[in-house]
PDB file of all heavy atoms in Angstrom:
ATOM      1  N   MET T   1     -36.441  29.152 107.012  1.00  0.00           N
ATOM      2  CA  MET T   1     -35.217  29.972 106.660  1.00  0.00           C
ATOM      3  C   MET T   1     -35.175  30.225 105.153  1.00  0.00           C
ATOM      4  O   MET T   1     -34.635  31.252 104.790  1.00  0.00           O
ATOM      5  CB  MET T   1     -34.003  29.188 107.125  1.00  0.00           C
ATOM      6  CG  MET T   1     -33.908  29.109 108.659  1.00  0.00           C
ATOM      7  SD  MET T   1     -33.796  30.752 109.401  1.00  0.00           S
ATOM      8  CE  MET T   1     -32.170  31.212 108.937  1.00  0.00           C
ATOM      9  N   LEU T   2     -35.621  29.254 104.326  1.00  0.00           N
ATOM     10  CA  LEU T   2     -35.584  29.482 102.895  1.00  0.00           C
ATOM     11  C   LEU T   2     -36.406  30.633 102.487  1.00  0.00           C
ATOM     12  O   LEU T   2     -35.937  31.449 101.618  1.00  0.00           O
ATOM     13  CB  LEU T   2     -36.026  28.242 102.187  1.00  0.00           C
ATOM     14  CG  LEU T   2     -36.067  28.282 100.664  1.00  0.00           C
ATOM     15  CD1 LEU T   2     -34.652  28.412 100.202  1.00  0.00           C
ATOM     16  CD2 LEU T   2     -36.704  27.052 100.046  1.00  0.00           C
ATOM     17  N   ILE T   3     -37.592  30.830 103.050  1.00  0.00           N
ATOM     18  CA  ILE T   3     -38.468  31.913 102.708  1.00  0.00           C
ATOM     19  C   ILE T   3     -37.818  33.254 103.119  1.00  0.00           C
ATOM     20  O   ILE T   3     -37.771  34.242 102.324  1.00  0.00           O
ATOM     21  CB  ILE T   3     -39.839  31.772 103.378  1.00  0.00           C
ATOM     22  CG1 ILE T   3     -40.533  30.592 102.761  1.00  0.00           C
ATOM     23  CG2 ILE T   3     -40.667  33.095 103.198  1.00  0.00           C
ATOM     24  CD1 ILE T   3     -41.823  30.199 103.466  1.00  0.00           C
ATOM     25  N   GLU T   4     -37.236  33.377 104.288  1.00  0.00           N
ATOM     26  CA  GLU T   4     -36.543  34.570 104.750  1.00  0.00           C
ATOM     27  C   GLU T   4     -35.283  34.817 103.806  1.00  0.00           C
ATOM     28  O   GLU T   4     -35.107  35.946 103.469  1.00  0.00           O
ATOM     29  CB  GLU T   4     -36.069  34.390 106.131  1.00  0.00           C
ATOM     30  CG  GLU T   4     -37.158  34.424 107.152  1.00  0.00           C
ATOM     31  CD  GLU T   4     -36.635  34.176 108.583  1.00  0.00           C
ATOM     32  OE1 GLU T   4     -35.426  34.092 108.776  1.00  0.00           O
ATOM     33  OE2 GLU T   4     -37.477  34.114 109.486  1.00  0.00           O
ATOM     34  N   PHE T   5     -34.631  33.808 103.401  1.00  0.00           N
ATOM     35  CA  PHE T   5     -33.492  33.975 102.553  1.00  0.00           C
ATOM     36  C   PHE T   5     -33.928  34.552 101.206  1.00  0.00           C
ATOM     37  O   PHE T   5     -33.281  35.474 100.681  1.00  0.00           O
ATOM     38  CB  PHE T   5     -32.797  32.600 102.359  1.00  0.00           C
ATOM     39  CG  PHE T   5     -31.593  32.647 101.446  1.00  0.00           C
ATOM     40  CD1 PHE T   5     -30.379  33.099 101.927  1.00  0.00           C
ATOM     41  CD2 PHE T   5     -31.657  32.210 100.103  1.00  0.00           C
ATOM     42  CE1 PHE T   5     -29.264  33.112 101.110  1.00  0.00           C
ATOM     43  CE2 PHE T   5     -30.631  32.321  99.274  1.00  0.00           C
ATOM     44  CZ  PHE T   5     -29.383  32.678  99.771  1.00  0.00           C
ATOM     45  N   VAL T   6     -34.973  34.004 100.657  1.00  0.00           N
ATOM     46  CA  VAL T   6     -35.404  34.451  99.306  1.00  0.00           C
ATOM     47  C   VAL T   6     -35.907  35.910  99.383  1.00  0.00           C
ATOM     48  O   VAL T   6     -35.735  36.664  98.417  1.00  0.00           O
ATOM     49  CB  VAL T   6     -36.620  33.531  98.820  1.00  0.00           C
ATOM     50  CG1 VAL T   6     -37.280  34.118  97.595  1.00  0.00           C
ATOM     51  CG2 VAL T   6     -35.985  32.146  98.483  1.00  0.00           C
ATOM     52  N   ILE T   7     -36.480  36.331 100.500  1.00  0.00           N
ATOM     53  CA  ILE T   7     -36.900  37.724 100.626  1.00  0.00           C
ATOM     54  C   ILE T   7     -35.776  38.683 100.938  1.00  0.00           C
ATOM     55  O   ILE T   7     -35.697  39.773 100.336  1.00  0.00           O
ATOM     56  CB  ILE T   7     -38.023  37.850 101.770  1.00  0.00           C
ATOM     57  CG1 ILE T   7     -39.281  37.059 101.278  1.00  0.00           C
ATOM     58  CG2 ILE T   7     -38.330  39.273 102.089  1.00  0.00           C
ATOM     59  CD1 ILE T   7     -40.295  36.901 102.362  1.00  0.00           C
ATOM     60  N   LEU T   8     -34.902  38.325 101.829  1.00  0.00           N
ATOM     61  CA  LEU T   8     -33.826  39.254 102.322  1.00  0.00           C
ATOM     62  C   LEU T   8     -32.623  39.360 101.413  1.00  0.00           C
ATOM     63  O   LEU T   8     -32.017  40.401 101.287  1.00  0.00           O
ATOM     64  CB  LEU T   8     -33.449  38.827 103.697  1.00  0.00           C
ATOM     65  CG  LEU T   8     -34.444  39.066 104.766  1.00  0.00           C
ATOM     66  CD1 LEU T   8     -33.904  38.608 106.120  1.00  0.00           C
ATOM     67  CD2 LEU T   8     -34.849  40.552 104.880  1.00  0.00           C
ATOM     68  N   VAL T   9     -32.247  38.306 100.693  1.00  0.00           N
ATOM     69  CA  VAL T   9     -31.023  38.372  99.873  1.00  0.00           C
ATOM     70  C   VAL T   9     -31.112  39.375  98.765  1.00  0.00           C
ATOM     71  O   VAL T   9     -30.213  40.202  98.524  1.00  0.00           O
ATOM     72  CB  VAL T   9     -30.658  36.951  99.366  1.00  0.00           C
ATOM     73  CG1 VAL T   9     -29.618  37.045  98.214  1.00  0.00           C
ATOM     74  CG2 VAL T   9     -30.071  36.176 100.467  1.00  0.00           C
ATOM     75  N   PRO T  10     -32.226  39.471  98.020  1.00  0.00           N
ATOM     76  CA  PRO T  10     -32.343  40.574  96.962  1.00  0.00           C
ATOM     77  C   PRO T  10     -32.278  41.947  97.564  1.00  0.00           C
ATOM     78  O   PRO T  10     -31.659  42.870  96.999  1.00  0.00           O
ATOM     79  CB  PRO T  10     -33.657  40.303  96.315  1.00  0.00           C
ATOM     80  CG  PRO T  10     -33.968  38.875  96.562  1.00  0.00           C
ATOM     81  CD  PRO T  10     -33.387  38.588  97.868  1.00  0.00           C
ATOM     82  N   LEU T  11     -32.829  42.123  98.764  1.00  0.00           N
ATOM     83  CA  LEU T  11     -32.723  43.442  99.424  1.00  0.00           C
ATOM     84  C   LEU T  11     -31.368  43.763  99.823  1.00  0.00           C
ATOM     85  O   LEU T  11     -30.887  44.877  99.595  1.00  0.00           O
ATOM     86  CB  LEU T  11     -33.662  43.499 100.622  1.00  0.00           C
ATOM     87  CG  LEU T  11     -35.167  43.355 100.365  1.00  0.00           C
ATOM     88  CD1 LEU T  11     -35.948  43.286 101.626  1.00  0.00           C
ATOM     89  CD2 LEU T  11     -35.633  44.566  99.541  1.00  0.00           C
ATOM     90  N   LEU T  12     -30.627  42.832 100.398  1.00  0.00           N
ATOM     91  CA  LEU T  12     -29.214  43.065 100.791  1.00  0.00           C
ATOM     92  C   LEU T  12     -28.375  43.306  99.582  1.00  0.00           C
ATOM     93  O   LEU T  12     -27.403  44.130  99.607  1.00  0.00           O
ATOM     94  CB  LEU T  12     -28.791  41.874 101.639  1.00  0.00           C
ATOM     95  CG  LEU T  12     -29.358  41.765 103.062  1.00  0.00           C
ATOM     96  CD1 LEU T  12     -28.953  40.479 103.750  1.00  0.00           C
ATOM     97  CD2 LEU T  12     -29.057  42.947 103.875  1.00  0.00           C
ATOM     98  N   PHE T  13     -28.603  42.523  98.538  1.00  0.00           N
ATOM     99  CA  PHE T  13     -27.785  42.691  97.314  1.00  0.00           C
ATOM    100  C   PHE T  13     -28.006  44.018  96.689  1.00  0.00           C
ATOM    101  O   PHE T  13     -27.053  44.638  96.205  1.00  0.00           O
ATOM    102  CB  PHE T  13     -28.111  41.488  96.325  1.00  0.00           C
ATOM    103  CG  PHE T  13     -27.173  41.418  95.164  1.00  0.00           C
ATOM    104  CD1 PHE T  13     -25.855  41.128  95.338  1.00  0.00           C
ATOM    105  CD2 PHE T  13     -27.579  41.726  93.944  1.00  0.00           C
ATOM    106  CE1 PHE T  13     -24.964  41.027  94.297  1.00  0.00           C
ATOM    107  CE2 PHE T  13     -26.757  41.696  92.824  1.00  0.00           C
ATOM    108  CZ  PHE T  13     -25.397  41.322  93.045  1.00  0.00           C
ATOM    109  N   SER T  14     -29.264  44.510  96.626  1.00  0.00           N
ATOM    110  CA  SER T  14     -29.471  45.809  96.041  1.00  0.00           C
ATOM    111  C   SER T  14     -28.897  46.875  96.919  1.00  0.00           C
ATOM    112  O   SER T  14     -28.456  47.889  96.371  1.00  0.00           O
ATOM    113  CB  SER T  14     -30.992  46.049  95.835  1.00  0.00           C
ATOM    114  OG  SER T  14     -31.679  46.055  97.080  1.00  0.00           O
ATOM    115  N   ALA T  15     -28.858  46.746  98.219  1.00  0.00           N
ATOM    116  CA  ALA T  15     -28.206  47.725  99.072  1.00  0.00           C
ATOM    117  C   ALA T  15     -26.719  47.739  98.879  1.00  0.00           C
ATOM    118  O   ALA T  15     -26.071  48.798  98.872  1.00  0.00           O
ATOM    119  CB  ALA T  15     -28.534  47.370 100.607  1.00  0.00           C
ATOM    120  N   LEU T  16     -26.143  46.542  98.599  1.00  0.00           N
ATOM    121  CA  LEU T  16     -24.713  46.524  98.273  1.00  0.00           C
ATOM    122  C   LEU T  16     -24.411  47.230  96.987  1.00  0.00           C
ATOM    123  O   LEU T  16     -23.525  47.989  96.860  1.00  0.00           O
ATOM    124  CB  LEU T  16     -24.273  45.057  98.207  1.00  0.00           C
ATOM    125  CG  LEU T  16     -22.881  44.808  97.673  1.00  0.00           C
ATOM    126  CD1 LEU T  16     -21.876  45.244  98.805  1.00  0.00           C
ATOM    127  CD2 LEU T  16     -22.606  43.373  97.272  1.00  0.00           C
ATOM    128  N   ILE T  17     -25.234  46.995  95.976  1.00  0.00           N
ATOM    129  CA  ILE T  17     -25.024  47.588  94.636  1.00  0.00           C
ATOM    130  C   ILE T  17     -25.178  49.168  94.835  1.00  0.00           C
ATOM    131  O   ILE T  17     -24.366  49.949  94.228  1.00  0.00           O
ATOM    132  CB  ILE T  17     -26.034  47.108  93.667  1.00  0.00           C
ATOM    133  CG1 ILE T  17     -25.624  45.663  93.216  1.00  0.00           C
ATOM    134  CG2 ILE T  17     -26.084  47.983  92.442  1.00  0.00           C
ATOM    135  CD1 ILE T  17     -26.617  44.983  92.307  1.00  0.00           C
ATOM    136  N   MET T  18     -26.159  49.630  95.589  1.00  0.00           N
ATOM    137  CA  MET T  18     -26.343  51.010  95.785  1.00  0.00           C
ATOM    138  C   MET T  18     -25.143  51.695  96.519  1.00  0.00           C
ATOM    139  O   MET T  18     -24.719  52.744  96.214  1.00  0.00           O
ATOM    140  CB  MET T  18     -27.661  51.367  96.463  1.00  0.00           C
ATOM    141  CG  MET T  18     -28.873  51.229  95.587  1.00  0.00           C
ATOM    142  SD  MET T  18     -30.355  51.927  96.299  1.00  0.00           S
ATOM    143  CE  MET T  18     -30.652  50.809  97.622  1.00  0.00           C
ATOM    144  N   SER T  19     -24.596  50.965  97.517  1.00  0.00           N
ATOM    145  CA  SER T  19     -23.536  51.469  98.262  1.00  0.00           C
ATOM    146  C   SER T  19     -22.239  51.585  97.383  1.00  0.00           C
ATOM    147  O   SER T  19     -21.481  52.498  97.535  1.00  0.00           O
ATOM    148  CB  SER T  19     -23.254  50.657  99.542  1.00  0.00           C
ATOM    149  OG  SER T  19     -22.770  49.366  99.216  1.00  0.00           O
ATOM    150  N   VAL T  20     -22.016  50.619  96.491  1.00  0.00           N
ATOM    151  CA  VAL T  20     -20.913  50.655  95.561  1.00  0.00           C
ATOM    152  C   VAL T  20     -21.088  51.784  94.616  1.00  0.00           C
ATOM    153  O   VAL T  20     -20.154  52.572  94.391  1.00  0.00           O
ATOM    154  CB  VAL T  20     -20.756  49.332  94.780  1.00  0.00           C
ATOM    155  CG1 VAL T  20     -19.790  49.444  93.671  1.00  0.00           C
ATOM    156  CG2 VAL T  20     -20.348  48.215  95.726  1.00  0.00           C
ATOM    157  N   GLU T  21     -22.269  52.009  94.073  1.00  0.00           N
ATOM    158  CA  GLU T  21     -22.507  53.130  93.150  1.00  0.00           C
ATOM    159  C   GLU T  21     -22.328  54.484  93.866  1.00  0.00           C
ATOM    160  O   GLU T  21     -21.688  55.339  93.308  1.00  0.00           O
ATOM    161  CB  GLU T  21     -23.974  53.058  92.686  1.00  0.00           C
ATOM    162  CG  GLU T  21     -24.355  54.079  91.557  1.00  0.00           C
ATOM    163  CD  GLU T  21     -23.791  53.700  90.250  1.00  0.00           C
ATOM    164  OE1 GLU T  21     -24.045  52.570  89.707  1.00  0.00           O
ATOM    165  OE2 GLU T  21     -23.082  54.581  89.615  1.00  0.00           O
ATOM    166  N   MET T  22     -22.811  54.607  95.022  1.00  0.00           N
ATOM    167  CA  MET T  22     -22.593  55.829  95.815  1.00  0.00           C
ATOM    168  C   MET T  22     -21.105  56.129  96.156  1.00  0.00           C
ATOM    169  O   MET T  22     -20.686  57.220  96.080  1.00  0.00           O
ATOM    170  CB  MET T  22     -23.449  55.886  97.070  1.00  0.00           C
ATOM    171  CG  MET T  22     -23.465  57.100  97.832  1.00  0.00           C
ATOM    172  SD  MET T  22     -24.213  58.385  96.804  1.00  0.00           S
ATOM    173  CE  MET T  22     -23.679  59.835  97.642  1.00  0.00           C
ATOM    174  N   SER T  23     -20.434  55.072  96.431  1.00  0.00           N
ATOM    175  CA  SER T  23     -18.954  55.210  96.738  1.00  0.00           C
ATOM    176  C   SER T  23     -18.198  55.737  95.542  1.00  0.00           C
ATOM    177  O   SER T  23     -17.375  56.545  95.568  1.00  0.00           O
ATOM    178  CB  SER T  23     -18.379  53.869  97.243  1.00  0.00           C
ATOM    179  OG  SER T  23     -19.030  53.440  98.369  1.00  0.00           O
ATOM    180  N   VAL T  24     -18.477  55.139  94.367  1.00  0.00           N
ATOM    181  CA  VAL T  24     -17.881  55.500  93.161  1.00  0.00           C
ATOM    182  C   VAL T  24     -18.179  56.916  92.783  1.00  0.00           C
ATOM    183  O   VAL T  24     -17.391  57.769  92.347  1.00  0.00           O
ATOM    184  CB  VAL T  24     -18.151  54.527  91.973  1.00  0.00           C
ATOM    185  CG1 VAL T  24     -17.640  55.080  90.699  1.00  0.00           C
ATOM    186  CG2 VAL T  24     -17.553  53.189  92.305  1.00  0.00           C
ATOM    187  N   TYR T  25     -19.531  57.305  92.947  1.00  0.00           N
ATOM    188  CA  TYR T  25     -19.954  58.675  92.713  1.00  0.00           C
ATOM    189  C   TYR T  25     -19.224  59.686  93.600  1.00  0.00           C
ATOM    190  O   TYR T  25     -18.713  60.687  93.127  1.00  0.00           O
ATOM    191  CB  TYR T  25     -21.449  58.745  92.924  1.00  0.00           C
ATOM    192  CG  TYR T  25     -22.040  60.185  92.694  1.00  0.00           C
ATOM    193  CD1 TYR T  25     -22.364  60.572  91.378  1.00  0.00           C
ATOM    194  CD2 TYR T  25     -22.188  61.084  93.737  1.00  0.00           C
ATOM    195  CE1 TYR T  25     -22.852  61.854  91.171  1.00  0.00           C
ATOM    196  CE2 TYR T  25     -22.637  62.363  93.492  1.00  0.00           C
ATOM    197  CZ  TYR T  25     -23.050  62.734  92.201  1.00  0.00           C
ATOM    198  OH  TYR T  25     -23.529  63.980  91.995  1.00  0.00           O
ATOM    199  N   ALA T  26     -19.113  59.377  94.872  1.00  0.00           N
ATOM    200  CA  ALA T  26     -18.446  60.277  95.819  1.00  0.00           C
ATOM    201  C   ALA T  26     -16.976  60.388  95.457  1.00  0.00           C
ATOM    202  O   ALA T  26     -16.382  61.471  95.650  1.00  0.00           O
ATOM    203  CB  ALA T  26     -18.602  59.724  97.266  1.00  0.00           C
ATOM    204  N   MET T  27     -16.363  59.265  95.066  1.00  0.00           N
ATOM    205  CA  MET T  27     -14.915  59.315  94.707  1.00  0.00           C
ATOM    206  C   MET T  27     -14.736  60.199  93.434  1.00  0.00           C
ATOM    207  O   MET T  27     -13.788  61.024  93.394  1.00  0.00           O
ATOM    208  CB  MET T  27     -14.406  57.943  94.442  1.00  0.00           C
ATOM    209  CG  MET T  27     -12.925  57.864  94.389  1.00  0.00           C
ATOM    210  SD  MET T  27     -12.217  56.135  94.531  1.00  0.00           S
ATOM    211  CE  MET T  27     -13.024  55.346  93.182  1.00  0.00           C
ATOM    212  N   ARG T  28     -15.596  60.039  92.451  1.00  0.00           N
ATOM    213  CA  ARG T  28     -15.517  60.855  91.223  1.00  0.00           C
ATOM    214  C   ARG T  28     -15.694  62.337  91.584  1.00  0.00           C
ATOM    215  O   ARG T  28     -14.980  63.222  91.063  1.00  0.00           O
ATOM    216  CB  ARG T  28     -16.576  60.442  90.220  1.00  0.00           C
ATOM    217  CG  ARG T  28     -16.282  59.184  89.499  1.00  0.00           C
ATOM    218  CD  ARG T  28     -17.373  58.797  88.580  1.00  0.00           C
ATOM    219  NE  ARG T  28     -17.081  57.626  87.813  1.00  0.00           N
ATOM    220  CZ  ARG T  28     -17.997  56.786  87.335  1.00  0.00           C
ATOM    221  NH1 ARG T  28     -19.244  57.053  87.485  1.00  0.00           N
ATOM    222  NH2 ARG T  28     -17.603  55.724  86.618  1.00  0.00           N
ATOM    223  N   HIS T  29     -16.662  62.606  92.423  1.00  0.00           N
ATOM    224  CA  HIS T  29     -16.906  63.978  92.872  1.00  0.00           C
ATOM    225  C   HIS T  29     -15.762  64.586  93.585  1.00  0.00           C
ATOM    226  O   HIS T  29     -15.358  65.726  93.367  1.00  0.00           O
ATOM    227  CB  HIS T  29     -18.187  64.063  93.669  1.00  0.00           C
ATOM    228  CG  HIS T  29     -18.748  65.434  93.598  1.00  0.00           C
ATOM    229  ND1 HIS T  29     -18.377  66.488  94.346  1.00  0.00           N
ATOM    230  CD2 HIS T  29     -19.820  65.900  92.857  1.00  0.00           C
ATOM    231  CE1 HIS T  29     -19.078  67.588  94.108  1.00  0.00           C
ATOM    232  NE2 HIS T  29     -19.981  67.245  93.218  1.00  0.00           N
ATOM    233  N   MET T  30     -15.092  63.774  94.456  1.00  0.00           N
ATOM    234  CA  MET T  30     -13.909  64.238  95.147  1.00  0.00           C
ATOM    235  C   MET T  30     -12.798  64.643  94.211  1.00  0.00           C
ATOM    236  O   MET T  30     -12.111  65.586  94.369  1.00  0.00           O
ATOM    237  CB  MET T  30     -13.459  63.215  96.194  1.00  0.00           C
ATOM    238  CG  MET T  30     -12.309  63.693  97.049  1.00  0.00           C
ATOM    239  SD  MET T  30     -10.955  62.585  97.286  1.00  0.00           S
ATOM    240  CE  MET T  30     -10.960  61.329  96.187  1.00  0.00           C
ATOM    241  N   PHE T  31     -12.592  63.765  93.171  1.00  0.00           N
ATOM    242  CA  PHE T  31     -11.575  64.022  92.267  1.00  0.00           C
ATOM    243  C   PHE T  31     -11.785  65.254  91.391  1.00  0.00           C
ATOM    244  O   PHE T  31     -10.927  65.990  91.061  1.00  0.00           O
ATOM    245  CB  PHE T  31     -11.272  62.800  91.322  1.00  0.00           C
ATOM    246  CG  PHE T  31     -10.436  61.727  91.967  1.00  0.00           C
ATOM    247  CD1 PHE T  31     -10.949  60.515  92.320  1.00  0.00           C
ATOM    248  CD2 PHE T  31      -9.028  62.002  92.159  1.00  0.00           C
ATOM    249  CE1 PHE T  31     -10.163  59.519  92.877  1.00  0.00           C
ATOM    250  CE2 PHE T  31      -8.254  61.011  92.748  1.00  0.00           C
ATOM    251  CZ  PHE T  31      -8.812  59.792  93.149  1.00  0.00           C
ATOM    252  N   LEU T  32     -13.077  65.451  91.020  1.00  0.00           N
ATOM    253  CA  LEU T  32     -13.477  66.658  90.301  1.00  0.00           C
ATOM    254  C   LEU T  32     -13.211  67.860  91.128  1.00  0.00           C
ATOM    255  O   LEU T  32     -12.689  68.909  90.662  1.00  0.00           O
ATOM    256  CB  LEU T  32     -14.922  66.617  89.810  1.00  0.00           C
ATOM    257  CG  LEU T  32     -15.428  67.833  89.106  1.00  0.00           C
ATOM    258  CD1 LEU T  32     -14.682  67.975  87.842  1.00  0.00           C
ATOM    259  CD2 LEU T  32     -16.918  67.695  88.834  1.00  0.00           C
ATOM    260  N   ASP T  33     -13.610  67.857  92.389  1.00  0.00           N
ATOM    261  CA  ASP T  33     -13.399  68.962  93.337  1.00  0.00           C
ATOM    262  C   ASP T  33     -11.862  69.255  93.472  1.00  0.00           C
ATOM    263  O   ASP T  33     -11.473  70.406  93.454  1.00  0.00           O
ATOM    264  CB  ASP T  33     -13.956  68.682  94.732  1.00  0.00           C
ATOM    265  CG  ASP T  33     -15.505  68.841  94.785  1.00  0.00           C
ATOM    266  OD1 ASP T  33     -16.043  69.445  93.832  1.00  0.00           O
ATOM    267  OD2 ASP T  33     -16.067  68.290  95.689  1.00  0.00           O
ATOM    268  N   ARG T  34     -11.100  68.199  93.602  1.00  0.00           N
ATOM    269  CA  ARG T  34      -9.668  68.412  93.726  1.00  0.00           C
ATOM    270  C   ARG T  34      -9.043  69.016  92.429  1.00  0.00           C
ATOM    271  O   ARG T  34      -8.256  69.987  92.546  1.00  0.00           O
ATOM    272  CB  ARG T  34      -8.991  67.043  93.966  1.00  0.00           C
ATOM    273  CG  ARG T  34      -7.446  67.156  94.066  1.00  0.00           C
ATOM    274  CD  ARG T  34      -6.856  65.766  94.286  1.00  0.00           C
ATOM    275  NE  ARG T  34      -5.408  65.865  94.413  1.00  0.00           N
ATOM    276  CZ  ARG T  34      -4.529  65.935  93.422  1.00  0.00           C
ATOM    277  NH1 ARG T  34      -4.938  65.951  92.190  1.00  0.00           N
ATOM    278  NH2 ARG T  34      -3.202  66.078  93.683  1.00  0.00           N
TER     279      ARG T  34
END
């Protein structure tokens, strides 16, 4: 389980960071459009 944890946690964390970045980008773009 430790090996799986070490491999998967960075992938999941980077996906979380990308989703936050995309959400903020989409919100900024919506406000600019408005």
Side-chain angles (χ1 to χ4, degrees):
M1 293 299 287
L2 178 66
I3 293 170
E4 290 177 3
F5 180 80
V6 168
I7 291 171
L8 291 178
V9 164
L11 294 174
L12 292 173
F13 190 67
S14 63
L16 173 71
I17 287 175
M18 284 193 292
S19 67
V20 168
E21 185 78 53
M22 187 62 197
S23 299
V24 171
Y25 179 85
M27 193 167 57
R28 285 178 176 154
H29 204 280
M30 185 227 13
F31 278 111
L32 177 63
D33 284 343
R34 179 183 183 275

